[in-house]
Each structure stands twice: as C-alpha cells, then as structure tokens.
Amino acid sequence: MREIQSVDALDAAIDSGDSLAGLRLQDLDLDDREAALLRRTDLEGLVVLGGRTSDVLAHHLRLHGALVFPTDPHAPVDPYRSTLYQAHELYAGLAQHGYDATPDARAHRWSADADLGHDAFVTLLRAIHDDSISDALTEVLAGSPVVGVMGGHGLRRGTAEYAAAARLGHSLASAGLTVATGGGPGAMEAANLGAFARSPAALDGALRELGTAPGYLPDVGAWASAGLAVHDDLVRGECVPGRGASIGIPTWFYGHEPPNAFCTGIAKYFSNAVREDGLLARCTAGIIVLPGAAGTVQEVFQAATRLYYSPDAAPAPPPLVLVDHAHWTRTLPVWPALRALARGRAMQDAVHLVADVDEALALLSPPRALGPGK
C-alpha cells in the first residue's frame, strides 16, 4: 500500500505500468486524470479519500474493487486533507467578514453542534479528519528533535513574561529544535513566535508590534489581525538556515482559544484527547512548562504518567521542566505531587523545577550553552 498525496505522484504511479491495486489517493482532484483511470481495471483495494471524483469515475472505481470514501460538502473543513493548516487558511475572510465567518470559527461551531454530535457520519468525518492531521504531523516532524513548551492561554502580549517565553522559543529553535505548543494564545503563542522569528532583532520588533493588541478577549479579530500582520512581516524577513520549525497543535474543543499565527504548521484537532496525547508523545527532546491553569496541569500529569510507566531499562527519558517556583509550589502546588510520584522511579532524574527560562534551557540538550535571545 502506498499513499498518493499529489497529482504528480499519481501520474508517476499510472505511467509506471505497475498495478494500482491497494493505493491510497488522499485529497486529490481526479478530474484531469479521469480518462487515464477509466482505462485501468487493476484497482482492487484502491482507496479514494476525499478530493474530487466524478460520478462516472467513482462508479468505474467501485466496479473494479476500489473504495471511494464520501465527504460532506457542508463540512467547514476537508476531512481527508493531507497537509497541516496555515494561519491565513484558518483565518480566511477575517478582514472582510470578521472572526465568526472564518473557517476556524465555523469549524468550532460544527464541532460544538449538539445535533451533529449524534450524527454517525459527522462523527466519522471528524475522526477521519483528526487521523489525517496526525498523519500529516508525523510526516512534518519525522526525524526532528521536538521540545514542547506548555503554558497558560491568559498570558498577555506586552508583558515581561510573554517576552521571556518568546525568547525561550527563539533559543530552542536557534539550537535546531522544533518547538511544539498547544497552538493557542498566551504562553503558547509567545513560544511559537520566538521560534518563528529569524533573529533577536526581528523578535524584538514583533514583540513591540504585538503589544498594541495584548489579548484575544473581547476582540478575537483584532488580536488575530495583529498576529497575522506580524507573521507576514516576519515571513518577509531573511531566513536563517538551520533553524527549527514552530508547530502549533490546538483543538476546536477549546473554542475560546483561537490559533496563533506563528507556526510553520498548525495541526488542529476536533478531539482534545487525541490532540493532547499526540502533542506530548512527540516531545522527544523534552517539555518545558510555563505557568498555567487547568489545561497546563492536565498536560503536566499526562506527561508524568508517560514517565511513570516507562520501563526501568528504557533509555533516560527527556526532561520535564516546570518553570517558576512560586507558581508550582504555592499558586498551584503541582510540584510536591510530581516529586512524590517520581520518588524511587526512573523518572526521578527527569523532572525538574526551576526559577526561570534560563535554568530550563540549561537542562535541555543541545541548547545547554544558550540563553534567551542568543
């Protein structure tokens, strides 16, 4: 079985003379390849996932043993997409019609609709969408060392804490690491911004510009518009070879958390459970946890569960680093419980509580000698 995700790859498969049986055609417009496919009968087990297929071709494919999966033209997203989202794609129409008209807002409403929640076909499409996103994310991150940066969505642009989180992301990306976050506002946006910025000077300019729209409430549109404008300014800047990527992994489950603009790819899910597990599982180089609330606490203990049940004979696990003594020992006393879980287990040396992002950076490899903005 082979996944075919571009018309060029499909042309190569057709021209090769090899059997088309068992191929998976994902999100392709087959109109211009219809004549070539109608001449083929070696189609047993070929699967067409979404895309564009005429009734004539669909009938021919099924007649010769292929499966053609349907979609819903009223769905706000393509369930069979083969690539991650981009910020401008999710915010299409924002300037003209406001946030409520964007694909991102419409997808949230589709996700939250109670009647659709009992529609087996819609439930299936959402699950297929999330599996397609996971497949695309796996391809993007293949072979990359990934460090997760977790933290609260309430952190406002223009604050010292936001700037520190951004410089943390920049230092990690400058060391060749891929920075992955929950993809929302606040600390998540700051880390993605830092990883996305090409230089400390570019980052400083972006921080100044973003300070004019500090929070996403009450006006998501103004917040997102400012982010998209800064994103475009950064894209026009000079690219520094060897920098890591900036990945956001948000969810429509949290409708109050719009996606941030500073990602080279956005893996947005309908299922928060699938999203959380996928995010944490991909953090192969470690996880840094900035102050946050319920969602961040969930991520801490979900990561800790993975560490707790890792076999003693397994390689040393990547570090789980909590930043800010006061927050994690007094405001939300997560650290005592985490240390109690770790005591006497292989994870004991992998969990850390540090004062600031400089100390967090020192615990990660390879960026041991780096400080924020370096």
Side-chain angles (χ1 to χ4, degrees), residues 3-6 25-28 49 78-85 129 131-137 139-140:
E3 289 185 0
I4 304 293
Q5 298 179 351
S6 70
L25 311 186
Q26 186 174 356
D27 194 26
L28 299 181
L49 299 167
D78 176 5
Y80 304 101
R81 65 178 297 124
S82 59
T83 60
L84 299 183
Y85 291 101
H129 169 275
D131 188 70
S132 298
I133 288 295
S134 290
D135 188 49
L137 185 60
E139 291 180 3
V140 167

Side-chain angles (χ1 to χ4, degrees), residues 168-196:
L168 168 66
H170 186 76
S171 292
L172 294 169
S174 295
L177 294 168
T178 294
V179 175
T181 79
M188 297 172 280
E189 178 187 61
N192 284 134
L193 166 65
F196 195 75

Side-chain angles (χ1 to χ4, degrees), residues 141-155:
L141 295 180
S144 299
V146 179
V147 59
V149 179
M150 315 302 170
H153 64 262
L155 186 61

Side-chain angles (χ1 to χ4, degrees), residues 344-370:
R345 302 189 69 86
M347 69 180 283
Q348 183 167 305
D349 294 332
V351 295
H352 307 271
L353 176 64
V354 299
D356 53 36
V357 296
D358 288 304
E359 290 187 42
L361 283 165
L363 290 168
L364 290 174
S365 179
R368 294 184 180 277
L370 293 177

